[in-house]
Amino acid sequence: MSRSDQPQDASGVSRRGFLKGVGAGALAAGAVAPAAAALGAKAGPQAAAAGTVFGPAPVAVALNVNGKVRQLRLEPRVTLLDALRNHLDLTGAKKVCDRATCGACTVLLDGKAVYACTVLAVEANGRAIETVEGLAETHGGAAPIQKCFVANDAQQCGFCTPGFVMACESFKRANPGATREQALDGLGGNLCRCGTYHGVAQAVVDALAGKGGN
Amino acid sequence: MSSSHGSGKPPADRADPLQHARSPNRTFGPQPPGEQFEVIGKRLRKVDGAGKATGEALYTDDLALPGMLHGKTLRSPHPHARIKRIDTTKAEALAGVFGVVTGAEMPARFGVIPWTPDETALCIDKVRFIGDPVAAVAAVDEETATRALDLIEVDYEQLPALFDPAEALARKDVLVHEGNKHGNITKEVLLEFGDPDGALAKSDFVVEDDYFFHGTAHAPIETHVALARYGSDGVLTLWSATQIPHYVHRELAKVLDLPAPQIRVIQPCLGGAFGGKSDPFSLEFCAAKLAMKTRRPVKFLYTREEEFYAHRGRHPMAMRFKTGLSKDGRITAVDSKILIDGGAYSSFGLVTTYYSGQLLTGPHQIPNYRFHSTRVFTNKPPCGPKRGHGSVQPRFALEVQLDRLAEKAGLDPIEVRRRNFQGAYTTTVNGQRVTSNGFDQCLDVVEKASGWKERRGKLGRGRGLGVAGSMYISGTNYCIYPNDMPQAGIQIKVDRSGLVTVFSGASDIGQGSNSVAAYIVAEELGMRVEDVRVVAADSDLCPVDLGAYSSRITFMVGNAAVHAARKLRKQVQAAVAQEWGIEPERVVLAGGFAFDKDDRGKAITSAKAFQITEAVLETLGSTGSYNTPNLGGDYRGGTIGASPAYSFTACVAEVEVDEETGIVTVPHVWTAHDCGRALAPVLVEGQIEGSAYMGFGEVFLEHHDVNRYGLHARPNLLDYTIPTSVDCPEFHASYVESLDPEGPYGAKEAGEGPLHPTIPAIANAIHDACGIWLTKLPFTPAKVVAALQARDAARAAGGGANGTANGRAH
Ligand code: FES
Ligand code: FES
């Protein structure tokens, strides 16, 4: 992954530009830094018109979730996580800290792992959102990474698991040759309290090696 | 001798004249039911793994009901204050608010231990820590509920607050609980066995030091959450993230003043607990009460910050330990004095106080022993049971002292532990019956795996290896509320299709108890695991199990499952034998079939075998239960910590100490755990790893504490740092199978024991690496640097290089 797809700020370093750089850099290095990526991400199309103010009343949001566009009316302060869980009945992503510290809410936004609790639904307007449910669905019930989680006992209570699965999927796509050690390093953005990290890393390695089928 | 300062009286049900006959202790021995194990001991995956990996698994917060309201809790901003007035009028008038509840509406006191009921669902007269719940609201959405909280007026009269347990012990003028008989003491236990003073006086080597174990939190990834519905039939249903549905059921009946049969408690999938969900919590009562008041379903989801304030985490303990050793490396005596910081309420504190001493008497033979433990109330979030309840803290002190003594005696630390190995089938100094004991093999395993003999002392500057051992219970025969009924139960239903449903009271909290129940029933009935379905932790459907605590489930529910399934097995064998005209012993049940041992071509499916049995008998079903034998020392408190079987663990840790920065890294932790027979090896390894992981986090990263105002210092997952995949050592998990005569197929616990030795093994490895003894957790870089400076100062002064650096290591 290169940084060329990131618009550069010609005027020099701004906080926003800095965050964009961090987000891209961290992803390029294989680290999952969804919060930074989300902050650096473009806002929805309406936001392009400078000075547009949304809300507090609900606004129309079109969320492209798992390949299907879902039309919603949401207050602009509603997070992507709440939109998924409370408005679209997609309860795979979990609300754990709601503060970008644990990764249990991880989904993919335009293919990159983000903390859905720290992205506004309006920011995700029109962009491709992939959830743990979608990953399973597009692979006939369970994606290779999901099967490798089961095979490696990479879930105990399983509450961190949907977020971890999505972080792993994103890591896997970005790092097709990753070793177990690189996986352990790259998955530092998700917390598991049951201590399943080694199983998780092995699941990534196995999935990259073609285990888990399809 | 034991002095006991409980508050409260034995509950009324103790006096029930009908309770006389005690449910029997039934066990089935370590052998397989058939010729060999078909399911048990195989490297199977959990039965619920796929649902969790695909996001399908439903946890409490994933449930939503039509018309559901959202609950929020108003919490005390003061650490200690009298409530003068609560006015909820404005909150009630807010549009979107459906109900408000205060403590006065639920005045009954509760507590998980029936002798110390010192909590109310919401505070009534007084708040005792910042975060103590005061009122609750149900509103159309979370935002409205939060706004309503701001409209509740509470007048407080602030009181002096106690944050230091030593001060709480001394002060008689400030009382956290006014009615308490003994000032701020919640429980005091002094037990003495043998002659510790005499033995210490005669010992060749004696060490005496102060140790401190800090507070740590469970920090389960799922916060507390509860959803209640009150139906027009008068039935209250509560879905809750709890690990003790049965106790919640009992306490709900009491606090809501509802007949217990009108209450149904369901524990859906649960996102981690580690002991943090083994009390009844405010939100369970508030959700229920508000559902009854509003006639709408009500859900409460604690925020991460609330989770930290609800707490019940590991008790901070200040411990003075004195241990003696003879020249030939035998422990002569152990004497400890422990001050336990309980926080604002009792929770499991009575048990914690006993466990801090009672669980230390193995795997090392201690001939003379005394412990004197005192738990006090402070104005801080209440402490409770965390993985390795009560004994993780003193185990740290004892195992470090053993290494200090080994050094004085010029002995290898593993050798000292070998010499003191108590052996199998023995009785500890405090009267606990030890059955199977594979601790010596555990030592062998970690010694070999870590390359101890070849590598220790040769790793180079700043690197070292350390060892520690421990024991833990597989449940206890102290069943919290006195009764003569079984501790665990299983019911089995057989369907003609070949499906067998197992109704288990046990709470699967991620440890895999549903999987283990399925494996056992599949083993007994010769079925494929996928044809066994487990329904668990629903008080309407499942028999009572006391809960997922004290590492009791595999042992107790496992035995109940064997009991229930063995009865059915015999029925099926008899019916098929009759059909075939052969002896029942010739009917083999395995792999989804029933076949004739002497004519293996003669086979039918399990489903067919069940149909034959149903035809000759009746509708098929079976129940099974387990109760402990009578155990424990013949003295007050002698049953607390008495377990039908003990697990044992040995651990070696490898560390690297950066002497410039004080940063310690742990590249490897080897843990060998005697779990009896490993019923499910993959799950056992996961438990060993998870335990070592949690212990590692407590050594370096985690610290639950309040600041000088009583505010939690770090109530979020950014500041309360739990280890990430980047922080973790390589965990090498092994198990040793000392088949236990009473465990299901010989199994013992695996979920909590392996945590214990991780912490002292790391402390001992740090000493091996750089000659400092760290005695006060957590081991921050600042403490390491201070201890290194003290070491250098002592060396410069010509003193021993290995003195403790306690004075400076804060
Ligand atoms: S819930 Fe989003 S990072 Fe924790
Ligand atoms: S499996 Fe329990 S938190 Fe990760």
Side-chain angles (χ1 to χ4, degrees):
Chain A
M1 185 185 300
S2 79
R3 290 178 57 178
S4 58
D5 56 341
Q6 297 291 323
Q8 299 295 312
D9 184 348
S11 65
V13 181
S14 69
R15 178 173 159 74
R16 193 177 146 93
F18 173 73
L19 284 168
K20 279 177 192 169
V22 170
L27 283 169
V32 179
L39 283 168
K42 291 189 298 238
Q46 294 100 321
T52 308
V53 175
F54 296 114
V59 294
V61 185
L63 293 183
N64 176 358
V65 185
N66 300 323
K68 286 190 204 83
V69 178
R70 312 279 295 265
Q71 305 289 347
L72 293 171
R73 289 196 66 80
L74 299 172
E75 290 179 45
R77 67 192 167 86
V78 173
T79 64
L80 177 56
L81 179 64
D82 281 342
L84 293 171
R85 288 185 60 83
N86 301 340
H87 297 271
L88 296 174
D89 284 340
L90 292 167
T91 55
K94 303 296 183 220
K95 186 186 271 194
V96 164
C97 68
D98 215 21
R99 294 288 183 279
T101 59
C102 75
C105 60
T106 303
V107 299
L108 305 192
L109 191 59
D110 291 337
K112 288 177 194 165
V114 297
Y115 294 149
C117 68
T118 318
V119 177
L120 294 174
V122 292
E123 284 182 276
N125 191 27
R127 300 166 67 186
I129 301 158
E130 285 171 80
T131 73
V132 69
E133 293 91 347
L135 191 66
E137 205 178 285
T138 51
H139 292 83
I145 184 68
Q146 291 168 316
K147 290 184 189 160
C148 291
F149 260 67
V150 178
N152 285 288
D153 199 43
Q155 69 287 306
Q156 286 186 20
C157 77
F159 209 67
C160 70
T161 307
F164 243 122
V165 162
M166 296 314 285
C168 288
E169 180 65 19
S170 156
F171 175 83
K172 203 166 74 70
R173 289 183 199 171
N175 302 275
T179 62
R180 183 172 166 279
E181 285 62 38
Q182 287 167 333
L184 284 170
D185 277 349
L187 294 167
N190 289 60
L191 294 175
C192 173
R193 191 53 164 166
C194 297
T196 63
Y197 297 131
H198 291 292
V200 169
Q202 195 56 46
V204 170
V205 172
D206 285 0
L208 283 174
K211 296 191 189 162
N214 38 46
Chain B
M1 69 184 134
S2 162
S3 59
S4 173
H5 305 309
S7 53
K9 296 186 184 75
D13 52 2
R14 184 172 217 193
D16 184 347
L18 291 177
Q19 291 188 17
H20 42 77
R22 193 167 179 274
S23 161
N25 168 244
R26 252 186 238 98
T27 58
F28 300 87
Q31 308 78 20
E35 296 166 313
Q36 68 206 29
F37 283 114
E38 302 284 339
V39 180
I40 295 303
K42 302 282 187 286
R43 299 192 66 81
L44 301 175
R45 269 50 187 179
K46 291 195 190 81
V47 295
D48 52 5
K52 288 177 175 174
T54 55
E56 257 170 47
L58 291 177
Y59 298 79
T60 307
D61 189 38
D62 300 333
L63 307 177
L65 295 173
M68 185 174 83
L69 303 174
H70 295 265
K72 277 279 171 197
T73 307
L74 181 71
R75 295 175 179 278
S76 166
H78 305 298
H80 198 189
R82 221 169 284 294
I83 299 173
K84 309 292 282 183
R85 181 185 72 103
I86 304 183
D87 187 346
T88 60
T89 337
K90 286 183 191 149
E92 276 162 270
L94 182 71
V97 170
F98 282 72
V100 181
V101 66
T102 62
E105 294 167 71
M106 294 182 278
R109 286 166 170 266
F110 70 89
V112 68
I113 302 288
W115 283 272
T116 55
D118 56 13
E119 296 183 61
T120 49
L122 293 164
C123 295
I124 300 172
D125 310 319
K126 221 177 127 165
V127 290
R128 295 181 174 85
F129 69 98
I130 292 182
D132 220 355
V134 173
V137 170
V140 67
D141 55 29
E142 211 179 330
E143 292 72 27
T144 309
T146 306
R147 244 181 298 137
L149 295 184
D150 290 341
L151 298 175
I152 298 175
E153 293 167 8
V154 188
D155 292 347
Y156 293 102
E157 175 196 329
Q158 292 197 53
L159 299 167
L162 299 169
F163 303 128
D164 174 5
E167 188 191 349
L169 186 63
R171 294 278 290 258
K172 302 284 176 256
D173 56 329
V174 181
L175 295 176
V176 180
H177 291 268
E178 270 88 6
N180 196 42
K181 267 190 273 171
H182 300 276
N184 287 310
I185 295 175
T186 90
K187 182 73 191 168
E188 182 173 6
V189 179
L190 170 58
L191 285 170
E192 184 174 307
F193 307 94
D195 175 17
D197 294 326
L200 284 166
K202 282 188 256 141
S203 297
D204 298 315
F205 307 102
V206 174
V207 288
E208 184 170 7
D209 317 286
D210 289 315
Y211 295 83
F212 179 70
F213 202 114
H214 61 316
T216 64
H218 312 86
I221 293 298
E222 178 197 42
T223 60
H224 293 282
V225 48
L227 164 63
R229 178 181 63 191
Y230 188 59
S232 54
D233 52 0
V235 174
L236 174 82
T237 306
L238 180 82
W239 292 263
S240 181
T242 176
Q243 57 193 117
I244 44 147
H246 178 61
Y247 297 142
V248 168
H249 191 175
R250 288 170 56 89
E251 299 308 281
L252 275 178
K254 183 158 111 186
V255 172
L256 300 174
D257 201 15
L258 269 184
Q262 262 169 257
I263 302 174
R264 178 179 187 183
V265 177
I266 302 171
Q267 175 235 310
C269 269
L270 187 130
F274 316 109
K277 294 170 181 168
S278 47
D279 287 62
F281 283 88
S282 171
L283 78 170
E284 290 162 323
F285 303 108
C286 291
K289 187 72 184 178
L290 284 164
M292 291 169 71
K293 277 181 87 163
T294 63
R295 296 287 173 145
R296 293 256 225 147
V298 178
K299 188 202 275 180
F300 279 70
L301 169 69
Y302 277 1
T303 63
R304 181 53 58 183
E305 188 180 16
E306 288 182 288
E307 174 74 31
F308 276 104
Y309 279 103
H311 195 48
R312 319 289 159 146
R314 197 168 320 283
H315 287 78
M317 292 192 192
M319 306 174 281
R320 184 152 194 89
F321 261 74
K322 190 171 179 184
T323 303
L325 196 78
S326 67
K327 268 206 244 10
D328 62 351
R330 306 243 171 217
I331 297 169
T332 54
V334 176
D335 182 12
S336 73
K337 189 155 196 230
I338 302 177
L339 181 60
I340 306 173
D341 186 350
Y345 294 98
S346 285
S347 179
F348 272 89
L350 180 153
V351 178
T352 316
T353 312
Y354 275 106
Y355 278 9
S356 69
Q358 289 288 63
L359 300 188
L360 230 53
T361 53
H364 319 307
Q365 184 71 38
I366 299 175
N368 301 285
Y369 182 49
R370 175 167 57 222
F371 72 93
H372 183 183
S373 295
T374 309
R375 183 183 189 268
V376 295
F377 290 124
T378 51
N379 293 112
K380 298 195 276 194
C383 297
K386 181 179 166 189
R387 203 171 196 170
H389 179 195
S391 58
V392 167
Q393 302 95 319
R395 178 60 64 181
F396 158 63
L398 178 64
E399 295 294 318
V400 171
Q401 286 214 319
L402 269 186
D403 264 39
R404 290 186 28 74
L405 288 163
E407 185 177 62
K408 283 184 189 289
L411 290 166
D412 177 280
I414 290 186
E415 179 55 26
V416 163
R417 288 170 175 84
R418 277 206 184 97
R419 286 193 193 177
N420 288 286
F421 174 48
Q422 67 192 163
Y425 303 98
T426 181
T427 302
T428 65
V429 68
N430 54 339
Q432 291 168 5
R433 182 199 73 167
V434 172
T435 52
S436 63
N437 188 343
F439 178 65
D440 51 343
Q441 295 168 61
C442 294
L443 280 175
D444 294 348
V445 170
V446 291
E447 182 181 57
K448 194 147 178 267
S450 64
W452 178 272
K453 281 195 188 131
E454 313 80 57
R455 296 174 69 230
R456 186 161 182 270
K458 303 188 190 84
L459 290 168
R461 186 183 157 86
R463 297 177 63 195
L465 292 173
V467 69
S470 66
M471 80 167 191
Y472 203 61
I473 49 181
S474 306
T476 91
N477 70 338
Y478 175 80
C479 58
I480 295 204
Y481 71 95
N483 72 80
D484 295 309
M485 292 171 281
Q487 282 216 28
I490 285 275
Q491 291 184 2
I492 300 177
K493 168 192 173 296
V494 180
D495 190 75
R496 293 175 188 180
S497 67
L499 172 76
V500 165
T501 309
V502 182
F503 296 90
S504 162
S507 297
D508 195 322
I509 59 174
Q511 85 282 42
S513 61
N514 286 353
S515 299
V516 170
Y519 301 157
I520 289 174
V521 171
E523 180 70 54
E524 289 288 330
L525 299 180
M527 299 175 65
R528 302 181 314 162
V529 176
E530 53 268 40
D531 294 331
V532 179
R533 204 126 69 214
V534 179
V535 174
D538 178 333
S539 64
D540 267 18
L541 303 178
C542 306
V544 166
D545 176 71
L546 296 185
Y549 62 90
S550 290
S551 271
R552 49 182 297 292
I553 294 209
T554 294
F555 198 95
M556 300 197 182
V557 179
N559 267 321
V562 175
H563 180 216
R566 188 72 54 99
K567 285 194 254 179
L568 258 178
R569 174 187 172 81
K570 294 220 164 94
Q571 290 178 338
V572 174
Q573 280 176 312
V576 173
Q578 188 186 334
E579 173 93 0
W580 288 347
I582 60 175
E583 292 301 308
E585 297 74 55
R586 272 176 58 184
V587 177
V588 178
L589 306 179
F593 294 93
F595 57 87
D596 181 351
K597 185 157 66 169
D598 299 338
D599 176 9
R600 296 201 171 223
K602 191 164 182 180
I604 54 175
T605 61
S606 300
K608 183 72 195 157
F610 295 150
Q611 289 164 13
I612 290 170
T613 315
E614 190 179 338
V616 299
L617 285 175
E618 57 189 356
T619 301
L620 293 182
S622 182
T623 61
S625 60
Y626 174 79
N627 202 11
T628 53
N630 283 313
L631 294 168
D634 189 15
Y635 52 88
R636 182 163 186 187
T639 60
I640 304 185
S643 176
Y646 294 89
S647 74
F648 300 92
T649 317
C651 174
V652 167
E654 181 175 336
V655 303
E656 292 175 19
V657 182
D658 181 331
E659 295 208 4
E660 298 289 309
T661 61
I663 292 173
V664 181
T665 46
V666 183
H668 297 280
V669 172
W670 294 270
T671 307
H673 180 68
D674 168 19
C675 63
R677 190 185 302 282
L679 302 183
V682 173
L683 276 64
V684 168
E685 288 161 3
Q687 288 304 306
I688 297 173
E689 247 184 54
S691 291
Y693 152 90
M694 199 165 261
F696 164 78
E698 295 189 55
V699 178
F700 297 110
L701 298 173
E702 301 180 26
H703 195 177
H704 165 95
D705 201 5
V706 299
N707 67 14
R708 66 200 154 104
Y709 307 109
L711 263 177
H712 197 295
R714 36 188 90 79
N716 61 72
L717 291 174
L718 202 57
D719 298 312
Y720 187 91
T721 41
I722 67 177
T724 69
S725 57
V726 181
D727 306 311
C728 283
E730 283 291 335
F731 296 112
H732 308 271
S734 320
Y735 54 84
V736 161
E737 298 184 284
S738 73
L739 301 187
D740 192 78
E742 297 184 16
Y745 308 124
K748 305 189 283 187
E749 78 88 35
E752 302 190 68
L755 191 153
H756 293 75
T758 320
I759 296 163
I762 290 172
N764 291 339
I766 291 172
H767 174 71
D768 185 51
C770 59
I772 57 171
W773 292 112
L774 295 176
T775 54
K776 294 181 169 60
L777 287 158
F779 299 160
T780 58
K783 284 184 197 167
V784 174
V785 167
L788 288 166
Q789 286 169 351
R791 175 201 66 182
D792 292 344
R795 278 181 184 165
N802 292 324
T804 63
N806 295 337
R808 307 201 36 195
H810 286 286

